[in-house]
Amino acid sequence: MAPPLSPKRGLVLVADDDPVMRLLMLQMLEQVGLDVIEASDGQQALTRFHDHLPDLVLLDVDMPGMDGFAVCRAIRESEREGTIPIIMVTGADELEAVTQAYEVGATDFVSKPINWPVLGHRVLYVLRASDAIARLRIADAHNRAVLAAIPDTFFRLNRDGYYLDYEQGHAPHAAFASARCVGQHVRAVLPGDVAERLLEQMNTVLDTQQLRSVDYVLQGRDALQHFETRLVSTGTNEVLGMVRDISERKRTEEQIRRLAYCDSLTGIPNRQAFLEMLQTELVRSRLQNKKFAVLFMDLDAFKRINDTLGHNVGDLLLKTVSERLRETIRPSDLVTRAEQPGNNLARLGGDEFTILIPDLERVENALNVAHRVKEAMRRPFLIDAHEIFVTASIGISLYPQDGQDSDSLLKYADTAMYHAKNCGKNNAKLYSSSLTMQIMSHVKLEVGLRKALQNNELYLLYQPQIDVSSAQIVGVEALVRWRHPERGIVSPTEFIPLAEETGLIVPIGEWVLRTACNQARAWQQVSQRQLRMAVNLSARQFKDENLTQIVLSALHDTGLEPRLLELELTEGTLMDDARATMATLEQLRGIGVRLSIDDFGTGYSSMNYLKRFDVRALKIDKSFISGLPQDSENAAITRAIIAMAHGLKMVVVAEGVETDEQLLLLEQYGCDMVQGYYLGHPSPQETITQMLQEQCKPPRPVQAKLPLV
Ligand code: C2E
Ligand code: MG
Ligand code: MG
């Protein structure tokens, strides 16, 4: 094979049997920068063509043996694409030869006599043209490959809205009758509204020469299909449309939306969704001059259910609660505009739910909904064979009076909910400026409480506890009071929760304990009687790791015998964390102090559950006693509690005994001890001392001897 020639502007094969002609051609072509190889007959021309693959062939028609036509035909047959230009050199204007030349695949011809100065340029021109054609071919092939790879459907529309052509992509285009729509109008092919939007956008594209896109949904064979059509102008009178099936993308978007806006446990909207809902409602209500309410609901004692029955039951309960809420807020006075019932409901997290009440005409409507929700929650929940009783506390904030933005409204509803909880749970409260005032005074109170101990503003009152059979004072309960420098006497029901919240209960509780032990010891010495001192212990104190130490040192420093100290715990304190409770109770029992359950019957516990804690005394809450003897239901409960407690060898104390009848009834029921205004108000130590002295006189029958004060 001949060595390859270095390409310049192109390589030309010159085939002519006449050496003079070849020489002239060579010179002319080299003059314009072309490389030349020669062949002196047809056969040689073919061989050299295949050896060198020139960019152009200049072929004499008349050659001995194989003539120019035969060579041209042979080249074209060997070369699939027919892209190499072949110029035939014909005799003087032989029309027949020219025709034949084109028939065998020649690109161009020159006829003799040859115009030599022009020949080089002519060859250059043909080369350039062939180069352009080659590029076009490549571009065309490239475009086809790209189009084949894209799933989109392509079409062209003219300005009047008729399809000029249509190329179906991979994804079938619902309601499109493939290429059959060519020549038809858009309105005849697509549903009316889609066609109108497409035509409108087409006009915009033609006017502005900018890309536009239209999204629409068509009914596919099995499901709805989402499409996006991008329109681009391809001239002044037509547009190219590219249709893409975006159903999958829409599905993914929807899934992402669901994940981002749905609470995964209950399937209802989450906090983010609620905030956006609130934002939309704010804009709408502002424009239309409307009012709305935000309800914030929190289950009371949910943590306890989680801790005692497990998280699975807790989760199931939350699900059921959300379903019940959805049913409750369905009535027409509430959800009128929401697309789906329950859409105004959200779970913010944990056991917190929110409800948006739009178009509020009267505040009472919000309170009514809150009431319905509360009632719905009170019906027992049957979960996993457990019958669970819950109550809910609800806070309500109102637009526009309480707040003008979503964060404030939510925050205020939350604050109102806390207020509702502080007011005894199972409550609904409105946020209002008066609440703000209360919170302000709460803050002031907290500052004062911090100073109360060092300023000696706290003191104790003692309420006697009477043994029913002997009618003797057998113990007292220490009850703390705060003499506030401005407000006067503050009740523990007001400041103890605050002290618990702030942790101040720990030093306050320690002071109460020491003072009470000291007093008990003093009475013991004066009266020579074994008087038991009961001290209330809050949950926070019970969780304090130094509790045992504090109790021990109070006993040690005052010299009071441990068995004469009784610590009152509430059911809530015991239920909070059963395992830790057991350990602390064990330590306290180890010291020898007596433990009792205060306010029994108001908590969530059952007698059976309390058995585990091995507590020796139980105080029936005053709410059961207050209606006696008329309230037959409470009478039955009281009687049952006493019987069950005795079954568990517990001593029973009834709190809040205010009348003679109550005392008699309790005596009949076998109640061991009584405490209440009828037998003695919480009193200063001097009063108790006096009572104790009174009792030192010889005993009289029970009824005659009572009341003491
Ligand atoms: P509690 O331990 O159940 O105390 C009984 C409460 O009932 C006392 O309210 C007492 O004054 C009141 N009471 C007694 N007899 C009657 C009656 O016949 N009728 C009525 N209606 N009420 C009666 P108080 O003194 O206001 O104390 C309220 C609560 O504050 C106590 O309830 C206790 O939980 C808490 N508390 C009081 N002192 C302390 C303390 O030193 N430490 C802790 N942690 N809590 C305390
Ligand atoms: Mg008590
Ligand atoms: Mg009590």
Side-chain angles (χ1 to χ4, degrees):
M1 194 198 270
L5 293 160
S6 66
K8 283 191 204 160
R9 296 179 75 174
L11 178 64
V12 180
L13 169 63
V14 170
D16 203 314
D17 56 329
D18 183 343
V20 179
M21 288 292 278
R22 287 206 305 272
L23 189 64
L24 279 168
M25 286 181 181
L26 185 113
Q27 277 179 357
M28 291 303 124
L29 295 176
E30 282 184 346
Q31 234 169 41
V32 293
L34 293 164
D35 285 324
V36 178
I37 45 174
E38 299 174 46
S40 54
D41 59 41
Q43 198 52 57
Q44 197 185 22
L46 258 187
T47 316
R48 305 217 85 184
F49 177 85
H50 289 300
D51 287 350
H52 295 284
L53 293 178
D55 299 306
L56 184 140
V57 183
L58 203 54
L59 202 56
D60 186 22
V61 169
D62 293 318
M63 284 187 291
M66 198 175 182
D67 68 6
F69 299 124
V71 175
C72 185
R73 188 179 298 116
I75 287 177
R76 288 294 182 237
E77 274 166 10
S78 70
E79 185 208 22
R80 235 183 304 136
E81 278 148 17
T83 51
I84 303 232
I86 301 174
I87 302 176
M88 302 291 277
V89 183
T90 61
D93 288 335
E94 290 171 10
L95 190 58
E96 203 181 316
V98 172
T99 317
Q100 203 180 343
Y102 282 129
E103 272 171 11
V104 294
T107 314
D108 198 3
F109 71 95
V110 286
S111 50
K112 292 173 182 170
I114 290 172
N115 183 348
W116 292 110
V118 172
L119 181 69
H121 296 287
R122 176 103 184 232
V123 168
L124 276 185
Y125 174 78
V126 173
L127 269 176
R128 205 177 327 128
S130 108
D131 189 45
I133 289 170
R135 275 175 211 278
L136 267 179
R137 267 206 194 113
I138 291 169
D140 188 49
H142 179 82
N143 287 345
R144 280 186 183 285
V146 171
L147 290 185
I150 293 177
D152 297 16
T153 289
F154 289 83
F155 63 83
R156 280 189 310 132
L157 282 184
N158 70 11
R159 187 177 263 284
D160 297 325
Y162 286 91
Y163 284 94
L164 297 174
D165 54 31
Y166 181 88
E167 183 133 2
Q168 176 78 58
H170 295 174
H173 192 176
F176 254 38
S178 70
R180 260 180 286 155
C181 64
V182 174
Q184 292 194 53
H185 195 273
V186 172
R187 288 196 187 100
V189 175
L190 288 174
D193 58 323
V194 179
E196 290 315 317
R197 282 168 52 214
L198 207 64
L199 289 169
E200 189 189 318
Q201 290 303 322
M202 179 186 75
N203 287 329
T204 316
V205 168
L206 288 174
D207 290 348
T208 62
Q209 294 293 306
Q210 279 175 355
L211 186 134
R212 280 278 188 281
S213 75
V214 187
D215 280 10
Y216 49 88
V217 185
L218 297 177
Q219 180 61 55
R221 210 171 304 137
D222 308 316
L224 288 179
Q225 279 180 282
H226 293 260
F227 294 100
E228 177 197 61
T229 294
R230 280 160 299 148
L231 295 171
V232 30
S233 146
T234 45
T236 45
N237 280 319
E238 61 174 59
V239 292
L240 172 70
M242 290 153 274
V243 188
R244 177 164 293 192
D245 184 335
I246 54 166
S247 308
E248 195 52 44
R249 191 178 87 199
K250 286 279 178 196
R251 262 192 293 280
T252 316
E253 280 172 6
E254 179 52 32
Q255 206 169 356
I256 291 172
R257 219 193 71 82
R258 256 211 312 278
L259 285 177
Y261 287 94
C262 247
D263 172 50
S264 55
L265 177 68
T266 59
I268 62 174
N270 62 9
R271 172 183 286 270
Q272 186 56 34
F274 190 75
L275 282 173
E276 290 187 15
M277 205 190 285
L278 213 52
Q279 198 54 42
T280 316
E281 192 54 40
L282 269 168
V283 174
R284 195 187 73 93
S285 295
R286 203 170 289 150
L287 280 176
Q288 301 179 6
N289 215 3
K290 299 243 165 138
K291 296 175 184 168
F292 68 87
V294 176
L295 254 70
F296 197 114
M297 184 197 96
D298 184 288
L299 294 181
D300 300 324
F302 176 69
K303 185 179 175 303
R304 214 174 294 160
I305 291 163
N306 245 351
D307 289 348
T308 50
L309 300 175
H311 287 263
N312 276 349
V313 173
D315 281 357
L316 283 173
L317 175 67
L318 289 176
K319 268 192 192 170
T320 321
V321 163
S322 84
E323 277 156 25
R324 209 175 269 185
L325 280 175
R326 212 191 302 223
E327 286 160 19
T328 311
I329 63 169
R330 195 170 288 180
S332 54
D333 63 340
L334 174 58
V335 191
T336 44
R337 289 173 312 99
E339 294 145 23
Q340 285 163 14
N343 240 11
N344 293 26
L345 169 72
R347 175 173 170 240
L348 298 198
D351 57 345
E352 295 175 345
F353 292 84
T354 44
I355 300 163
L356 177 76
I357 310 177
D359 299 331
L360 194 73
E361 278 167 12
R362 287 145 39 97
V363 179
E364 285 82 346
N365 296 355
L367 285 168
N368 283 343
V369 177
H371 180 72
R372 279 214 307 272
V373 168
K374 259 175 37 187
E375 286 308 305
M377 292 301 120
R378 277 165 66 97
R379 274 186 281 131
F381 289 87
L382 188 67
I383 291 180
D384 234 10
H386 298 279
E387 198 176 34
I388 299 179
F389 292 87
V390 294
T391 53
S393 295
I394 300 173
I396 304 167
S397 67
L398 304 169
Y399 171 85
Q401 55 263 53
D402 291 340
Q404 308 276 327
D405 63 89
S406 45
D407 282 346
S408 309
L409 285 164
L410 201 58
K411 193 175 81 196
Y412 294 154
D414 186 14
T415 310
M417 185 279 290
Y418 267 100
H419 181 55
K421 264 203 198 309
N422 282 336
C423 292
K425 304 189 173 168
N426 192 28
N427 243 313
K429 290 281 172 201
L430 284 167
Y431 181 87
S432 63
S433 36
S434 68
L435 183 57
T436 325
M437 300 277 286
Q438 276 183 34
I439 289 162
M440 290 299 288
S441 69
H442 205 63
V443 172
K444 263 171 111 183
L445 206 65
E446 185 187 328
V447 175
L449 191 59
R450 286 184 187 280
K451 295 197 209 127
L453 255 184
Q454 66 212 57
N455 291 354
N456 277 330
E457 289 166 13
L458 298 181
Y459 64 98
L460 295 185
L461 292 182
Y462 303 91
Q463 187 173 32
Q465 296 179 329
I466 316 296
D467 179 83
V468 177
S469 58
S470 71
Q472 292 282 308
I473 300 179
V474 286
V476 290
E477 177 176 5
L479 296 160
V480 70
R481 296 288 180 270
W482 177 14
R483 192 179 294 109
H484 192 279
E486 289 154 27
R487 289 186 44 185
I489 310 297
V490 183
S491 152
T493 48
E494 190 173 349
F495 73 86
I496 292 288
L498 184 65
E500 289 199 342
E501 232 171 75
T502 53
L504 282 169
I505 190 66
V506 176
I508 291 178
E510 188 175 352
W511 176 86
V512 171
L513 190 70
R514 283 179 167 275
T515 314
C517 287
N518 214 11
Q519 184 59 56
R521 179 81 181 123
W523 278 323
Q524 197 182 11
Q525 284 168 343
V526 178
S527 68
Q528 301 298 317
R529 287 183 39 189
Q530 306 277 312
L531 199 66
R532 197 182 295 111
M533 175 61 75
V535 174
N536 291 285
L537 213 58
S538 81
R540 183 80 176 251
Q541 285 171 278
F542 192 69
K543 282 202 188 113
D544 184 20
E545 52 186 18
N546 295 323
L547 176 69
T548 329
Q549 206 47 50
I550 290 171
V551 174
L552 267 176
S553 84
L555 290 170
H556 176 263
D557 295 352
T558 58
L560 184 72
E561 287 174 56
R563 66 184 180 87
L564 294 181
L565 176 64
E566 174 171 319
L567 297 176
E568 295 192 359
L569 303 160
T570 59
E571 293 166 82
T573 307
L574 291 177
M575 306 279 290
D576 229 14
D577 178 355
R579 191 141 5 114
T581 302
M582 288 291 204
T584 315
L585 288 178
E586 204 50 53
Q587 288 177 4
L588 291 173
R589 259 197 298 271
I591 297 174
V593 297
R594 179 166 136 151
L595 301 165
S596 65
I597 295 173
D598 201 356
D599 305 340
F600 184 79
T602 55
Y604 176 72
S605 59
S606 66
M607 190 83 85
N608 222 7
Y609 188 77
L610 292 177
K611 207 166 61 180
R612 309 201 276 166
F613 297 115
D614 191 22
V615 176
R616 297 269 43 96
L618 194 145
K619 298 181 76 179
I620 305 178
D621 190 66
K622 54 181 173 289
S623 57
F624 294 102
I625 312 295
S626 66
L628 303 186
Q630 291 80 5
D631 186 336
S632 56
E633 214 169 273
N634 275 340
I637 293 173
T638 305
R639 187 179 205 159
I641 292 178
I642 294 172
M644 278 195 283
H646 283 166
L648 294 170
K649 301 202 170 45
M650 285 180 167
V651 170
V652 184
V653 184
E655 291 188 295
V657 180
E658 293 182 349
T659 65
D660 194 26
E661 291 90 1
Q662 288 171 350
L663 179 63
L664 276 172
L665 197 67
L666 288 163
E667 195 182 1
Q668 276 174 27
Y669 290 167
C671 185
D672 305 289
M673 291 182 9
V674 281
Q675 180 183 344
Y677 294 164
Y678 184 64
L679 306 141
H681 281 258
S683 321
Q685 48 106 351
E686 305 84 42
T687 315
I688 304 291
T689 310
Q690 216 177 332
M691 284 183 195
L692 289 172
Q693 283 164 355
E694 286 276 311
Q695 282 205 339
C696 282
K697 294 167 192 163
R700 290 170 291 171
V702 174
Q703 270 97 329
K705 196 176 49 194
L706 295 173
L708 289 161
V709 274

